[in-house]
Amino acid sequence: MPNFKTQLLILILVLVPIVALSEPQAVEALLRRLDSKRPPASVQEAAAKAVLKRLLPTHVDSFDFKIVSKEACGGQSCFLLNNNNLSSRQGPEIQIKGTTAVEIASGLHWYLKYWCGAHVSWDKTGGAQVVSIPKPGSLPRVRDEGLKIQRPIPWNYYQNVVTSSYSFVWWDWERWQKEIDWMALQGINLPLAFTGQESIWQKVFMDFNISKEDLNDFFGGPAFLAWARMGNLHAWGGPLSQNWLDQQLVLQKQILTRMLELGMTPVLPSFSGNVPAALKKIYPSANITRLGDWNTVNGDPRWCCTYLLDPSDTLFVEIGTAFIRRQVEEYGDVTDIYNCDTFNENSPPTNDPAYISSLGAAVYKAMSKGDKDAVWLMQGWLFYSDSSFWKPPQMKALLHSVPFGKMIVLDLFADVKPIWRTSSQFYGTPYIWCLLHNFGGNIEMYGILDVVSSGPVDARTSENSTMVGVGMCMEGIEHNPVIYELTSEMAFRSEKVQVQDWLKTYSRRRYGKIVHQVEAAWEILHHTIYNCTDGIADHNTDFIVKFPDWDPSSNPISNIPKQNQMQMLLALDRKRRVLLQETSAHLPQAHLWYSTQEVVNALRLFLDGGNDLSGSLTYRYDLVDLTRQVLSKLANQVYVDAVTAYQGRDVKAHSLHSRNFVQLIKDIDVLLASDDNFLLGTWLESAKKLAANPTERRQYEWNARTQVTMWFDNTKTNQSKLHDYANKFWSGLLGSYYLPRASTYFSYLSKSLRDNKDFEVEEWRKEWISLSNSWQAGTELYPVKAKGDALAISRALYKKYFS
């Protein structure tokens, strides 16, 4: 017969699952705490009105905004649209109520889209189309009973931890203000807020006797801060000046103030264990491990092999607590949600679940000692990228190492590889369904619209679902506006969207009118470009921007330097690897998931509708982007033809195809120059604009140039392992960087054929790497304004290559 202690243990084990059934209340408690931090209704209403004024200054008096309680929305977040009862033609026409200013802005956007046929996207993807909005006094009325849209889940999350480097790095407050307006209109209420954290770290580490000189070796340069924060590298592109640190802290305070005024909950960083090398000397008994190499060419200690403080060490909790408290001291009590990715592609030293649980508990302890209500937001990428380590026992140990409701997981790659399906809803842990979509800020038309329109609903309505949000976690922004608009809407939709119908309204809103040829083009794009179902993460590997570094003379793949076998392995951040196709002929193979001929037909339809849309900036952007996409895929085939001719020792054919490849680069460069949003000069000038002196100006420009080209270190004969990771289709970059690279490569191949000698691949690498390094250090100016008629250029190129 069991004794009393055994009976008590059995009783506890039986009762635990019962308690777990009511634990979702912890999420409700978190929501109530976050609601209590929001500013007064008057502040939020004024912030929403300011968004309207910046978007539609002519219609400021046409709308009445009002904050309401969740009780008015059935206990959830929502917005309500109603007609204002006017006794005269004076005063607001439409009343929009919402539980926060974000809800009000979302309601405004919903009304402008579905009653006025308007469209809002990033400036660099064509901007806002508001011509279709009627004049004040003539706005369309909603139905008499009004409209109420409730969020089916609490959160709409935004950003990847590297977006701050690939997209936001050179932004000033003016650009940030536009972004936060866009976020509010899209309904984003849980954004990452990572700007300026190095200034906080400087103060924290100096309290632990780390000098400013030591931190010069710890922080990365401006364009590489994301990877220094993650412990991938140190010092690369640095050091950071005090001007940068101070400037970014001021900017962060402006960002947080505006987010809070709009009722958003910012997600702040926390301590992941990444520490300066000097800390090991100051605390010799601390459990500090030097990590292995991350993508340097030869393990250069100047930038590789950073130091990690083990979460089990008491110093970890001390530093982590100090960092949280310093943020609260600097910013105020603005959030309870903190991001930490200690184990993201940095596996624990043992797979023992008990040890993993203790590490997770230590990470959370560092947060909770700094903020007693802290919630740990963690990227779930590790469960996909390192699935061989993170089996169910290890996942459960980490996910259950903190109290329920104190961790939220981002199902980061749910658009392609959803983890919630294979992990029993993250074993009961709340998670956010996320779209990853983009790597390196590459410019590529790509997406899976049918998954975006259904995936969040499938996750939310699945059995025992713990989904609490929809998120957008792209590495870079300002591309594929159709994908991000639909994803944002899914945070407000309870049912799946019929994509074909939605695209018709999208086309009409984006361009401000009905053009049947363009609508027909979008039908094609839906089932081709925007229907990538092959499971491959789309990192742009088109040969113009990701030029193969190999010797095609014999056994091609084995001749590619090990660190550059991009044809077979696509290197992603932190040693991520996604298998690509390999042709039977062992030729490089760029990612292609659709019929190119069908997309050429879509381009023809786009051009046919051009006369009706020639003044539209959104049409111009889409036309240039689609023409670029079509020509880039054509260039991939031309490249293969050139290499095949070389392997067949066909001098004439090789000469023809290599000239055609080079000409395509030139033609695409001219095309891209016709739209302001595809210019290298904009990126470089925004970097230089932040500099306070000539030294910073040179440093920032080098950072900007290097990130989009070589990325990391190289030797005289070995390119960076990450070269072209952040490639861009920008005019100026094609003409001055990608063009000479292809030209010199093909000239070496031609010489090999003419002289009947082996291809001097090492000589080509020496020449090209030298040219690249010179370009990275260059200061030549590039245009920041478009030139040429995009429609005429696109038509001419279509006629040249396809008619």
Side-chain angles (χ1 to χ4, degrees):
M1 183 174 181
N3 60 27
F4 175 74
K5 288 183 178 179
T6 304
Q7 289 176 321
L8 180 62
L9 179 60
I10 292 172
L11 181 62
I12 291 171
L13 291 173
V14 169
L15 287 176
V16 165
I18 297 174
V19 174
L21 292 176
S22 64
E23 282 178 336
Q25 293 174 1
V27 175
E28 289 301 318
L30 169 61
L31 291 171
R32 286 194 297 274
R33 282 200 312 276
L34 295 175
D35 286 343
S36 71
K37 295 177 185 288
R38 303 200 200 288
S42 59
V43 172
Q44 294 191 63
E45 289 164 0
K49 186 68 80 169
V51 172
L52 169 61
K53 185 175 182 179
R54 287 187 289 272
L55 177 67
L56 277 178
T58 54
H59 289 68
V60 171
D61 297 326
S62 299
F63 295 90
D64 178 40
F65 292 161
K66 185 175 178 60
I67 294 290
V68 295
S69 68
K70 284 187 175 178
E71 284 66 36
C73 294
Q76 296 174 276
S77 296
C78 83
F79 61 78
L80 304 101
L81 306 180
N82 291 100
N83 300 313
N84 240 10
N85 295 318
L86 298 177
S87 56
S88 68
R89 295 186 64 83
Q90 302 298 313
E93 300 167 71
I94 302 295
Q95 183 181 65
I96 303 177
K97 300 176 182 177
T99 46
T100 68
V102 167
E103 258 61 39
I104 291 175
S106 303
L108 171 66
H109 191 203
W110 202 275
Y111 174 79
L112 295 177
K113 287 199 292 188
Y114 292 112
W115 272 265
C116 302
H119 171 78
V120 178
S121 70
W122 290 296
D123 282 356
K124 283 183 71 67
T125 57
Q129 185 287 111
V130 296
V131 176
S132 61
I133 300 174
K135 294 178 180 179
S138 304
L139 290 179
R141 295 176 68 79
V142 300
R143 57 182 184 241
D144 290 342
E145 65 273 22
L147 174 74
K148 179 168 74 175
I149 300 287
Q150 289 179 314
R151 287 186 188 265
I153 31 83
W155 287 302
N156 190 348
Y157 174 81
Y158 183 53
Q159 292 181 41
N160 188 296
V161 294
V162 302
T163 319
S164 57
S165 289
Y166 282 133
S167 295
F168 306 156
V169 54
W170 310 122
W171 286 5
D172 56 14
W173 170 239
E174 180 182 2
R175 178 61 186 88
W176 261 110
Q177 180 169 250
K178 288 184 178 181
E179 187 70 8
I180 298 171
D181 284 357
W182 178 89
M183 288 159 52
L185 292 163
Q186 303 296 334
I188 292 160
N189 59 3
L190 191 65
L192 210 57
F194 267 28
T195 301
Q197 62 178 280
E198 283 70 29
S199 182
I200 305 293
W201 278 121
Q202 182 189 55
K203 296 170 184 177
V204 169
F205 279 131
M206 288 178 70
D207 286 343
F208 286 84
N209 298 316
I210 302 292
S211 69
K212 287 186 178 182
E213 290 70 29
D214 293 329
L215 291 175
N216 285 342
D217 186 57
F218 178 63
F219 296 138
F224 303 97
L225 285 176
W227 300 276
R229 292 165 182 169
M230 291 189 286
N232 300 144
L233 53 82
H234 64 97
W236 180 251
L240 293 181
S241 68
Q242 193 62 46
N243 169 64
W244 173 273
L245 296 170
D246 296 343
Q247 179 190 73
Q248 292 294 296
L249 183 60
V250 170
L251 183 59
Q252 170 76 335
K253 290 180 178 180
Q254 290 176 297
I255 292 166
L256 290 174
T257 298
R258 182 58 53 79
M259 287 178 173
L260 294 170
E261 289 172 350
L262 287 164
M264 298 176 184
T265 298
V267 178
L268 291 176
S270 62
F271 182 49
S272 65
N274 182 32
V275 294
L279 195 74
K280 191 170 179 65
K281 297 177 182 177
I282 298 169
Y283 295 89
S285 62
N287 187 0
I288 298 175
T289 305
R290 191 164 197 187
L291 300 177
D293 181 35
W294 182 85
N295 286 314
T296 65
V297 172
N298 54 12
D300 193 324
R302 288 177 296 170
W303 359 98
C304 101
C305 312
T306 57
Y307 290 86
L308 184 72
L309 175 61
D310 194 284
S312 63
D313 195 293
T314 56
L315 187 60
F316 185 100
V317 175
E318 285 184 52
I319 295 175
T321 301
F323 182 64
I324 296 292
R325 287 177 177 169
R326 179 66 76 163
Q327 288 186 107
V328 173
E329 179 184 322
E330 202 76 49
Y331 309 138
D333 184 13
V334 299
T335 189
D336 287 331
I337 303 184
Y338 301 90
N339 168 261
C340 183
D341 295 307
T342 294
F343 310 111
N344 193 37
E345 299 182 19
N346 175 32
S347 299
T350 172
N351 64 2
D352 176 23
Y355 179 75
I356 291 171
S357 181
S358 69
L359 293 185
V363 171
Y364 179 69
K365 184 179 180 181
M367 290 183 200
S368 59
K369 282 195 72 175
D371 179 348
K372 64 180 177 58
D373 297 318
V375 173
W376 179 359
L377 181 83
M378 180 180 72
Q379 292 190 145
W381 176 261
L382 70 168
F383 302 131
Y384 165 72
S385 66
D386 198 9
S387 58
S388 61
F389 178 91
W390 293 101
K391 301 296 185 184
Q394 290 74 33
M395 285 185 68
K396 289 178 186 177
L398 179 57
L399 295 172
H400 295 170
S401 65
V402 302
F404 187 88
K406 297 296 186 179
M407 177 182 283
I408 301 170
V409 181
L410 301 178
D411 197 354
L412 204 73
F413 204 18
D415 52 324
V416 177
K417 302 288 183 183
I419 301 299
W420 69 265
R421 290 186 181 276
T422 57
S423 65
S424 301
Q425 308 276 349
F426 288 94
Y427 303 107
T429 303
Y431 73 92
I432 295 176
W433 187 101
C434 293
L435 171 93
L436 180 51
H437 187 256
N438 176 269
F439 295 95
N442 297 161
I443 297 172
E444 167 100 293
M445 293 180 71
Y446 157 82
I448 322 172
L449 282 171
D450 288 343
V451 169
V452 172
S453 70
S454 61
V457 178
D458 288 339
R460 182 178 54 80
T461 59
S462 60
E463 187 177 3
N464 299 320
S465 177
T466 55
M467 174 184 162
V468 293
V470 173
M472 297 183 289
C473 298
M474 61 283 117
E475 290 192 349
I477 63 167
E478 300 176 321
H479 52 81
N480 291 288
V482 65
I483 294 291
Y484 297 101
E485 179 161 334
L486 182 57
T487 306
S488 296
E489 277 197 18
M490 297 311 297
F492 290 95
R493 291 191 176 272
S494 299
E495 298 179 353
K496 297 179 182 180
V497 172
Q498 298 300 314
V499 176
Q500 201 61 56
D501 294 338
W502 185 87
L503 278 176
K504 277 193 174 180
T505 66
Y506 174 83
S507 172
R508 295 170 186 182
R509 289 186 288 102
R510 181 151 170 83
Y511 311 123
K513 61 175 68 173
I514 297 172
V515 180
H516 295 297
Q517 299 99 319
V518 174
E519 288 184 6
W522 272 106
E523 285 188 31
I524 295 173
L525 296 179
H526 173 207
H527 67 253
T528 53
I529 284 176
Y530 290 112
N531 185 37
C532 182
T533 57
D534 60 13
I536 295 176
D538 186 64
H539 191 284
N540 194 332
T541 54
D542 287 348
F543 298 143
I544 288 176
V545 294
K546 183 82 173 177
F547 198 75
D549 178 2
W550 69 309
D551 179 356
S553 300
S554 58
N555 189 10
I557 297 301
S558 66
N559 278 292
I560 303 173
K562 189 173 182 180
Q563 71 270 24
N564 287 323
Q565 290 185 6
M566 52 73 67
Q567 292 74 242
M568 297 192 63
L569 291 174
L570 172 57
L572 301 182
D573 274 350
R574 301 192 61 147
K575 301 180 183 176
R576 302 203 297 261
R577 298 290 186 264
V578 179
L579 190 64
L580 295 183
Q581 296 171 313
E582 182 187 357
T583 65
S584 58
H586 298 287
L587 291 173
Q589 187 74 14
H591 186 201
L592 183 63
W593 62 97
Y594 58 84
S595 162
T596 54
Q597 184 54 53
E598 285 192 75
V599 176
V600 170
N601 293 340
L603 174 58
R604 177 181 53 78
L605 288 165
F606 238 81
L607 289 168
D608 288 347
N611 289 340
D612 294 322
L613 296 171
S614 58
S616 165
L617 296 180
T618 46
Y619 170 77
R620 186 178 76 179
Y621 173 88
D622 289 347
L623 174 65
V624 170
D625 202 23
L626 181 56
T627 307
R628 173 210 55 75
Q629 180 95 359
V630 167
L631 293 177
S632 181
K633 301 307 176 188
L634 173 63
N636 291 341
Q637 183 56 52
V638 173
Y639 170 88
V640 170
D641 292 341
V643 170
T644 302
Y646 173 82
Q647 291 177 333
R649 315 304 290 178
D650 188 333
V651 176
K652 185 177 180 181
H654 174 264
S655 176
L656 172 66
H657 296 310
S658 59
R659 286 199 312 270
N660 287 344
F661 186 85
V662 167
Q663 187 59 48
L664 274 162
I665 298 177
K666 294 177 180 178
D667 286 343
I668 297 173
D669 191 71
V670 171
L671 168 74
L672 297 174
S674 67
D675 188 284
D676 295 316
N677 304 303
F678 296 94
L679 303 178
L680 169 64
T682 306
W683 171 255
L684 298 182
E685 293 306 313
S686 63
K688 291 184 282 186
K689 186 179 176 183
L690 292 186
N693 54 59
T695 300
E696 285 187 3
R697 184 181 173 92
R698 290 295 298 269
Q699 180 192 11
Y700 295 177
E701 182 166 9
W702 183 91
N703 269 252
R705 285 168 174 257
T706 297
Q707 189 205 85
V708 299
T709 54
M710 196 62 79
W711 207 108
F712 211 3
D713 68 332
N714 58 260
T715 65
K716 289 184 178 180
T717 56
N718 285 306
Q719 295 193 70
S720 159
K721 291 181 182 180
L722 295 176
H723 74 89
D724 299 317
Y725 182 90
N727 64 65
K728 301 290 188 294
F729 270 100
W730 284 339
S731 179
L733 190 58
L734 267 74
S736 68
Y737 191 84
Y738 300 139
L739 177 63
R741 176 170 62 183
S743 297
T744 56
Y745 182 83
F746 284 126
S747 69
Y748 273 86
L749 285 183
S750 296
K751 184 176 185 297
S752 167
L753 287 178
R754 288 195 312 270
D755 299 345
N756 198 26
K757 293 181 178 179
D758 291 339
F759 171 49
E760 296 175 326
V761 65
E762 290 293 309
E763 292 304 311
W764 172 73
R765 286 175 184 146
K766 285 180 185 177
E767 182 174 343
W768 166 242
I769 292 170
S770 176
L771 286 171
S772 175
N773 292 162
S774 295
W775 188 91
Q776 291 164 247
T779 58
E780 59 275 13
L781 298 177
Y782 292 90
V784 294
K785 293 292 183 183
K787 66 175 182 179
D789 183 329
L791 180 57
I793 292 169
S794 184
R795 281 174 169 163
L797 292 173
Y798 180 88
K799 182 178 181 180
K800 178 177 181 178
Y801 289 105
F802 303 111
S803 65

